[in-house]
Every structure is written in C-alpha cells, then in structure tokens.
C-alpha cells in the first residue's frame, strides 16, 4: 500500500533538512530585510514598513518553529491554524501596505510571494494551495481597491497573481520532496538496522552456549535456543520476568539468593565499552524446570542500552561433561590409591611370607586363598574399568541370541553357592529373553553379589521373574542395609557409592551398577531400584522377550 510521505516521515531528519536550508540563507535574508527597513525608515519612509518587516520575520520564524516541533514529535500537536493565522495576517498586512503605497506600483505583492513560499513549506498541500489562492486573490484585490484593474496593469496583475499562487505550490513540492527523501533515507536506515538485527539474532540463535540479556531493571529480553533447551523454559515463558527467578542457579550448598546471582551482581557493575565479558563463575548449577541440577559456568557483564542505563548479558555454558571428566579423574585416583592398592598390598604381604618359607601347611593354604581372592578382586576391578572405558567410547557390542532365563540365573546363583545358602529363586521355566548371555550373566552377578555384600550374613535373597507385555521382569530382592532415598537416583552413575560406613568399609568401585544398567539399556531394557534404608532393596531388570524370527 502506498504511504503518504508525510505519514512516515522522521521529524528529526526533516528538521535537519529544513534547518540546513534556512540557516545559510534565512538568517542573512532576515538581517538584510531588517537593515533595508531601517534604511528606508531613516530615508523618510513610513515607519510602518518596520512593523511589516518585523511581522514578516516573526511569521517565518514562528512558522518554521511550529513546523520543527510538529515534525520532531512526528504528530500534529499544533493545529495548522497556528501556522496559517500569522501567514494570512501577514498576507493581509502586506496587502494593506500595497494599497497605501500605490497598489501595483508599490510592488508589495512581492511580499505576498514570500508569504506563499513560507505557507508552501510549512503546511500540507491543501493549506498551502489555499493560502496561495488567497494570495492570488489579494493581488487582484489590491488592483481593484487602488483602481488599477485596467489593461495597463493587466500583465502585472496576471503575472503577480499566478506567481503568488505557483510559489505556494512550488514550495509545497519542495517540502514533499524533502519529506520523501527523508523517508527513503530512514527506510534505508531501518532496513540496514533490520538486517543487522537479523544477523545478531541468527548469531545468538546459533550459539551452543546459553545467552540471556536483560533490560536495566533485570527483566529478561533475550533467551536463546540453547538456553531454552538447557533450562527447559521457553522465551515466551520467561520474557519480562526477573532474571534471578527464571535463571535459577545453585551452588553445592543450595540455591543462590537474589543478591548472589551473577546477573544481579553484574547489573551494579559499570559498563565499559569494549571490555570483555566477565570471568566465568564456576561451581554453579542451573536448576532446570524439572528441578534437575546441571553444572554450568556463568559469565555476566553489564550491557549497554538506551541512554545511560544498562542491562546485563550473560553466557551460560553447560560443563557437565567437563565436570564429569574431572569427577571421574578424582574417582579414579581414589580408586587406584585405595581400592587397587589394598588387595595388592595384601597379595604382596602374603606372597612374601610364603616365599620366605615362614608358613607351612594349613596356614600356607589360607594365605594362598587370600592371594587368590585379592588377585580376583583386582582382576574384577580392572575388568570393570575396561568395560567402563568401552561403554564411554560407545563401543559396547552385544552378541544377541536366545537366552533361557532360568538357566542363566541358576548358573549365576550356582557361583554364589559357596558364599551363601540363602538365595531363593522362583523363575518360571520357559521364559526366554533376547540378549547377550555373557553380558547378562555379568548383570545378575553384580546384582546378586551386591545383595549378598550389602546384607547381613545369610539374610534371604529372593530372585523371581514374570512376564509383563513384551518384557521379562526379573527382580532381585534383599533384606540388607538398603539405600538412602537421595542416593537411589544416582547409584547407576559411575563411581557412586553410599557414604554410609557399612558400605565404605566393604571393597567396591561404584562401577558395577553403572555397567549393569548400561548393559540392560543396550538390550533395550532397564534396571530400577526401590529401597528403604534398614529394610532392604529390590532391583528390577527389564529385558525384551525372545521372539522366534
Ligand atoms: P560397588 O558395589 O562396587 O560399590 P555398585 O555400582 O555395584 O558398586 O553399587 C553402587 C552402590 O550402590 C554401592 O556402593 C551401594 O552403596 C549401593 N548398593 C548397590 N546394591 C545395593 C544393595 N543391594 N543394597 C544396598 N546398597 C546397594
């Protein structure tokens, strides 16, 4: 749709253009006109000539000032009458002078031309042409009232009236041209700004890191895609809300207070153009919509906005992987320094005694058994570490075949028969799962081994199985020490062990359940736990039922 040029003009641009036109010519003209008036007066002319000049200057100044304010505010806060009335008064005054100074000979219709020009520049088309037409009529009126409406004055009357009218139209065309020019300049500028804005938005959207910006009162303005995914909250859910309420952060000891929030603290900082975004704050956790804690670093800095005010820009980086690696390194160091060293020291001690020949007979046999058990523990730990590395590398491979469940479980239970006699199995025969027999043995070995390890001696362990839709559900239930509720969701993570001293005094790596759960997942199944401290735990393994191809 075509827009009228005036509807979209930018007041400041118009003001600049008119200002540029008026300053070099307008001021000398006014001074010249005023000087000429004084000169004419001193030379004996009617003092009213000064009044006319002052009034003319005032008209032009008032007209252009009104125009400037109108344009700058982009609206018509002044009625056009405010400009038109002084202009029309000037027209009438000039007419009066023309009449008293001899009509057409007075040449004052020239003043009417000037006035038409001001009208054309200051008002919109219909007003400008109206005032132009009035000027043209006044030229004819001057001729009539001074008895000069005759053939000898004909050309002057005709040229004068046409000139007065056309000057209003011409000046109005200039005004329209200036407005259109300003408009297209502004359109270009707006277009450039929009392109620039789109580029910035595209860059922010493509960032891997979360990015948020706020206004000067800490209300969220931008919230990129990465942050939507990380925090589980969409931009439309957080827009306009206080940053510390939607970008919830925690340290190890709990959620951050408003005053501790990096974005809130950054708001009180001073923005220094070109200064790098602040040092990232580490050891922080982002609290997601589901109340999950994600390890993050947050860099926040003041962000320039309108005038002197500033908001905040913050970059949130998910460092779960890095923190996971560093935790794994710590866990590995503690594993090597304690869990691996203990059986090794034992083995070496017993082996030394045997080598010295200091012990004989039954005692020597006992030592040999200790050496065998310690070495077996070492072998298991090394095996678990290697399997973890294979899982981490995404290289856990299954050799899937039909596995008859009761056979598999009985084989595993058999292996524990030496250490306990209290395992009770109720596995219906005829259930077969689709799986890797060797890896599944590892899973049940770990679960049954844990049940024995974390229960009082000879406390009952019940293993049962049932079919649920397309899955076999095998449960391993003990009446042992149980697992603290807050630990239950973490025990399938690497190196997780209960801090309970009943657990800590027993050997273990915290890798068994991680491996078992990863094996179950690789089968398309799962392992879950229900437990209450002091009364025991039940682990449930779900595996896909075997279907004849
Ligand atoms: P490990 O037994 O070598 O410590 P796991 O990964 O097998 O490692 O088990 C992780 C942790 O889960 C254990 O350290 C223990 O705290 C807890 N846990 C596992 N099974 C049981 C169970 N049957 N009863 C009580 N706690 C258990």
């Amino acid at each position: 749709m075509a827009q009228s040029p005036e509807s979209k003009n930018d007041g400041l641009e118009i003001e600049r253009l008119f200002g540029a036109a008026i300053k070099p010519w307008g001021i000398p003209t006014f001074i010249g006109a005023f000087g000429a008036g004084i000169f004419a007066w001193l030379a004996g002319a009617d003092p009213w000539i000064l009044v006319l000049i002052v009034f003319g200057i005032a008209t032009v100044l008032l007209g252009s000032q009104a125009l400037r304010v109108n344009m700058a505010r982009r609206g018509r806060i002044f009625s056009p009458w405010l400009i038109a009335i002084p202009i029309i008064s000037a027209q009438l005054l000039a007419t009066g002078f023309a009449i008293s100074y001899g009509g057409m000979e007075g040449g004052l219709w020239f003043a009417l031309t000037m006035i038409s020009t001001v009208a054309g520049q200051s008002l919109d088309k219909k007003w400008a042409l109206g005032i132009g037409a009035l000027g043209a009529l006044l030229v004819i009126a001057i001729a009539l009232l001074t008895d000069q409406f005759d053939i000898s004055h004909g050309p002057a009357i005709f040229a004068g009236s046409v000139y007065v009218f056309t000057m209003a139209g011409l000046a109005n065309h200039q005004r329209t041209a200036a407005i259109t020019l300003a408009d297209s300049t502004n359109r270009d500028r707006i277009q450039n700004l929009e392109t620039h804005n789109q580029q910035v938005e595209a860059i922010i959207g493509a960032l891997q890191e979360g990015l948020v910006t706020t206004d000067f009162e800490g209300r969220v303005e931008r919230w990129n895609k990465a942050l939507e995914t990380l925090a589980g909250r969409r931009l439309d859910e957080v827009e306009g809300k206080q940053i510390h309420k939607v970008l919830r952060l925690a340290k190890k000891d709990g959620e951050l207070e408003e005053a501790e929030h990096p974005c809130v603290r950054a708001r009180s900082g001073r923005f220094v153009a070109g200064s790098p975004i602040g040092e990232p704050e580490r050891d922080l956790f982002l609290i997601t919509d589901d109340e999950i804690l994600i390890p993050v670093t947050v860099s926040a800095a003041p962000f320039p906005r309108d005038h002197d005010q500033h908001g905040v820009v913050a970059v949130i980086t998910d460092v779960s992987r890095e923190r996971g690696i560093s935790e794994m390194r710590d866990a590995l160091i503690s594993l090597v320094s304690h869990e691996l060293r203990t059986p090794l020291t034992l083995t070496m001690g017993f082996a030394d005694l045997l080598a010295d020949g200091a012990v004989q007979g039954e005692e020597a046999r006992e030592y040999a058994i200790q050496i065998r058990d310690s070495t077996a523990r070492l072998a298991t730990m090394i095996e678990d570490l290697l399997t973890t590395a294979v899982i981490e590398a995404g290289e856990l491979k299954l050799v899937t075949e039909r596995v008859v469940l009761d056979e598999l479980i009985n084989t595993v239970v058999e292996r524990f028969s030496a250490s306990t006699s209290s395992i009770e199995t109720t596995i219906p025969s005829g259930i077969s799962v689709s799986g890797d027999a060797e890896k599944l043995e590892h899973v049940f070995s770990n679960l049954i081994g844990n049940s024995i390890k974390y229960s009082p001696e000879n406390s009952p362990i019940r293993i049962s199985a049932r079919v649920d839709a397309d899955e076999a559900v095998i449960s391993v239930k003990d009446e042992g020490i149980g697992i603290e509720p807050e630990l239950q969701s973490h025990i399938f993570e690497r190196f997780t062990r209960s801090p309970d001293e009943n657990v800590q005094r027993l050997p273990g790596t915290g890798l068994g359940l991680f491996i078992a759960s990863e094996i179950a997942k690789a089968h398309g199944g799962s392992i879950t736990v229900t437990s209450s401290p002091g009364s025991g735990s039940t682990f449930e393994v779900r595996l896909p039922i075997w279907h004849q191809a």
Side-chain angles (χ1 to χ4, degrees):
M1 206 180 79
Q3 293 258 1
S4 105
E6 290 188 45
S7 66
K8 276 191 74 184
N9 67 59
D10 178 308
L12 295 174
E13 187 62 18
I14 308 257
E15 184 198 340
R16 198 180 62 74
L17 285 169
F18 272 88
I22 286 171
K23 263 186 204 145
W25 301 108
I27 294 170
T29 310
F30 290 153
I31 293 171
F34 201 65
I38 292 184
F39 183 73
W41 174 51
L42 290 177
D46 192 318
W48 278 101
I49 191 124
L50 273 180
V51 178
L52 176 66
I53 287 169
V54 169
F55 194 76
I57 294 172
T59 305
V60 176
L61 285 180
L62 188 72
S64 58
Q65 194 58 19
L67 170 80
R68 198 180 72 81
V69 178
N70 262 344
M71 292 298 178
R73 302 278 167 91
R74 307 192 87 188
R76 300 204 163 279
I77 57 162
F78 286 134
S79 149
W81 282 106
L82 212 78
I83 306 173
I85 286 174
I87 289 175
I88 293 169
S89 313
Q91 279 181 323
L92 296 175
L93 201 69
T95 306
F97 269 90
I99 292 166
S100 53
Y101 280 92
M104 303 312 291
E105 267 79 42
L108 277 169
W109 54 266
F110 186 70
L112 291 172
T113 312
M114 294 283 290
I115 295 165
S116 282
T117 311
V118 172
Q121 285 182 342
S122 325
L123 292 160
D124 63 22
K125 198 168 188 168
K126 64 178 191 315
W127 280 92
L129 293 184
I131 287 176
L134 179 64
L137 286 176
L138 287 174
V139 172
I140 295 165
I142 293 169
L144 280 172
L145 292 170
T146 54
D147 292 329
Q148 291 177 339
F149 200 71
D150 53 34
I151 197 78
S152 64
H153 291 96
I157 297 167
F158 179 73
S161 56
V162 168
Y163 196 54
V164 168
F165 180 72
T166 15
M167 276 317 281
L170 210 65
N172 198 252
H173 270 295
Q174 284 176 344
R175 170 191 152 93
T176 310
I179 290 172
T180 314
L181 177 68
D183 223 35
S184 75
T185 315
N186 285 330
R187 257 201 301 276
D188 285 352
R189 258 193 230 163
I190 290 168
Q191 181 76 45
N192 284 345
L193 271 175
E194 271 172 7
T195 315
H196 186 252
N197 227 9
Q198 279 167 2
Q199 285 170 350
V200 171
E201 292 301 330
I203 293 168
I204 290 173
L207 281 178
Q208 296 274 325
E209 283 78 21
L211 185 134
V212 59
T213 65
T214 74
D215 65 8
F216 63 97
E217 283 183 321
R219 289 178 297 231
V220 172
E221 280 185 335
R222 282 203 178 88
W223 180 273
N224 72 349
K225 277 266 165 296
L227 195 50
E228 286 190 347
T229 318
L230 197 63
R233 293 185 189 99
R234 289 193 320 273
L235 172 63
D236 58 352
E237 296 171 81
V238 299
E239 203 170 7
K241 301 211 173 123
Q242 284 295 321
I243 180 78
H244 65 275
K245 293 198 176 138
V246 286
L247 185 74
R248 288 172 56 206
L249 297 171
K251 282 210 162 152
K252 273 212 168 72
D253 49 1
E255 186 165 354
L256 295 189
E257 297 285 326
E258 179 179 348
E260 299 171 307
H261 199 287
C263 295
V264 175
R265 283 194 285 115
R267 253 179 66 202
S268 54
R270 204 166 63 86
F271 171 70
V272 182
S275 67
I277 193 159
E279 260 293 295
E281 276 201 45
R282 299 173 196 285
D283 300 327
L284 288 177
F285 296 90
L286 176 75
I287 308 176
T288 70
D289 210 25
D290 313 327
E291 301 289 319
I292 293 172
L293 298 182
I294 300 180
V296 289
T297 60
V298 177
S299 314
F303 179 57
R305 290 186 40 87
D306 301 345
H307 312 296
D308 279 346
Q309 290 159 336
H310 59 246
V312 168
V313 56
V315 176
I316 298 97
T317 313
D318 177 356
V319 289
S320 348
R321 206 178 142 72
E322 290 80 345
R323 236 177 262 176
I325 289 172
S326 104
E327 276 166 15
M328 184 155 159
R329 191 192 51 212
D330 295 349
L332 257 177
I333 291 170
S334 102
L335 183 79
V336 171
S337 60
H338 181 248
E339 294 298 330
L340 288 181
R341 199 186 264 169
T342 312
L344 213 57
T345 316
L346 278 175
T347 309
M348 279 171 67
F350 289 129
D352 276 349
L353 287 173
L354 287 175
D356 288 352
V359 285
Q360 302 286 330
E362 188 51 26
E363 207 180 352
R365 208 178 80 84
E366 287 267 310
Y367 283 11
I369 291 172
Q370 294 279 7
I371 290 175
R372 187 195 62 197
D373 289 352
S374 295
T375 327
R377 251 171 70 195
L378 274 174
T380 314
M381 280 185 210
I382 291 167
E383 194 57 39
D384 281 355
L385 278 171
L386 290 177
T387 313
T388 303
V390 168
I391 292 169
E392 292 292 331
E395 282 169 6
L396 184 69
K397 302 260 176 333
L398 300 180
V399 184
T400 313
E401 55 184 339
R402 175 182 184 173
V403 180
V404 181
L405 207 54
D406 58 346
E407 285 176 15
L408 176 91
I409 306 254
N410 286 334
T411 314
V412 180
V413 171
E414 193 66 25
R415 279 196 219 133
F416 288 100
S417 59
S419 42
T420 182
S421 55
S422 55
I423 303 179
E424 188 187 304
T425 51
T426 37
I427 315 279
S429 59
I431 304 179
S432 295
V433 295
S434 163
D436 182 320
E438 200 185 308
K439 302 236 163 28
L440 290 180
E441 272 184 27
H442 190 100
V443 170
F444 292 108
S445 213
N446 176 263
L447 295 181
I448 299 169
N450 278 349
S451 289
I452 299 170
K453 186 158 79 171
Y454 300 117
S455 300
E457 216 169 311
N458 288 328
S459 121
I461 292 157
R462 293 190 183 83
I463 305 170
S464 58
R466 64 190 162 90
V467 174
D468 179 16
D470 242 13
E471 286 179 326
V473 186
I474 306 100
S475 102
V476 179
K477 184 172 164 42
D478 64 50
E479 292 176 13
I481 59 173
I483 302 164
E484 305 89 307
E486 58 279 13
L487 199 71
Q488 288 177 21
S489 56
H490 296 290
I491 53 165
F492 298 103
E493 293 164 12
R494 296 166 308 202
F495 300 116
T496 308
R497 302 199 75 206
S498 163
D500 188 314
E501 67 126 357
N502 287 323
V503 172
Q504 290 295 326
R505 67 185 165 80
L506 297 167
T509 57
L511 289 174
L513 283 181
F514 167 71
I515 295 171
S517 156
E518 291 300 313
I519 292 176
K521 281 189 213 156
H523 279 82
S526 61
I527 306 184
T528 49
V529 65
T530 43
S531 178
S532 60
S535 33
S537 317
T538 305
F539 284 85
E540 238 179 38
V541 185
R542 289 180 169 261
L543 293 169
I545 290 284
W546 167 263
H547 287 294
Q548 194 70 48

